[in-house]
Amino acid sequence: MSIELDAVSKSFGAVEAIRNVSLTIGQGEMFGLIGHNGAGKSTLFKLMLGLLPASAGAVRMNGVPTSSAQFRQVRRRIGYLPESFVSYDNLSGLEVLQLFADLKQVARAECGRVLRRVGLAHAASRRLHTYSKGMRQRLGFAQVLLGDPELIFLDEPTNGLDPEGIADFYGILHEAQGRGATIVITSHILADIQDRVDRLVILDAGKVAALGTLADLRSRQVLPSHIEVRLPPGGADKVGPALAHLAGVTIILDGEHATIACAAALKAQVVAALAPMLLDVSIREPSLEDLFLGYGGHHARAH
């Protein structure tokens, strides 16, 4: 299922939460939506889900406007996990899932399969008040998967999950994507999503600050690559002279280790110049968090 936002704005009184946002998300794409608190991520989610009307512009899914009567049928093919999944503590995990199955008009028989897929089969009969935060998050993800939705919205979905749980979560998402599902995901844990989304948008004060693949954003920001090297005794004195012919290179020496910051186009020349003296080398490209900060997301959390 594709999504199209055409010059969408949303105001709450005098506050303009979303400002003239235009973007298209293709079918089968895993799309990241990032921005600091107050950037407009949750508002944009609600606009795309049809939970809020746009003040200006249009939101369409597979060409169907979210403001139209026909959108009710489209909405049945959508799965959504809000940032905080809340349900009835006195119900068991299976009963909660059966409730969602009834709401979605999905056969209850599917609940057991979905609970197994998210690793909760052992806790199906336990009351929700005994669930940990991570287990509640898995249950919330389970209700998203009911009915094999064609479009999945996930708001901070890895809250409370341990590293194994996060890996399982993305494994399930890639299975859904393999079936053709479109996935829109927002996360503050930028390191988790940077190598998993196909494209992403960075929101800043309700506007699109950047849109594209991670490679696109790196090329536009022109942030330096960092080459970290380990040198033999006495090697540190040779680094400066070896790189003197390269302009715009910054060298930080720390005993037998050196970090060289340079433009991406110079990486090969730096490594070639230092090759005779290298004991070890690693290259760190700008992370999504580096890019986020560079595009104005100054309130990003460090993870």
Side-chain angles (χ1 to χ4, degrees), residues 186-243:
T186 177
S187 179
H188 275 108
I189 309 177
L190 304 184
D192 279 352
I193 70 169
Q194 70 173 19
D195 294 323
R196 292 176 165 124
V197 296
D198 300 308
R199 287 190 307 141
L200 57 98
V201 64
I202 298 177
L203 283 184
D204 186 34
K207 297 181 292 187
V208 174
L211 172 65
T213 65
L214 192 58
D216 290 338
L217 270 55
R218 280 177 174 151
S219 65
R220 288 182 218 150
Q221 268 288 70
V222 199
L223 294 176
S225 300
H226 288 83
I227 303 170
E228 298 175 358
V229 300
R230 185 164 62 89
L231 306 160
D237 295 336
K238 302 175 183 177
V239 173
L243 300 179

Side-chain angles (χ1 to χ4, degrees), residues 95-167:
E95 288 169 338
V96 168
L97 209 55
Q98 288 173 337
L99 175 63
F100 278 99
D102 292 347
L103 290 171
K104 292 186 172 187
Q105 299 181 352
V106 172
R108 286 190 170 197
E110 191 176 329
C111 295
R113 175 186 68 83
V114 174
L115 283 171
R116 287 191 298 274
R117 188 63 191 91
V118 300
L120 284 179
H122 68 286
S125 60
R126 283 172 48 184
R127 301 295 172 192
L128 207 59
H129 69 82
T130 69
Y131 277 34
S132 67
K133 185 176 181 181
M135 292 171 70
R136 286 173 182 262
Q137 198 70 359
R138 286 173 183 262
L139 185 62
F141 190 35
Q143 66 81 18
V144 169
L145 298 174
L146 284 169
D148 291 330
E150 296 174 38
L151 177 57
I152 297 173
F153 285 94
L154 303 162
D155 195 356
E156 301 289 345
T158 56
N159 279 344
L161 296 182
D162 58 21
E164 183 180 1
I166 291 172

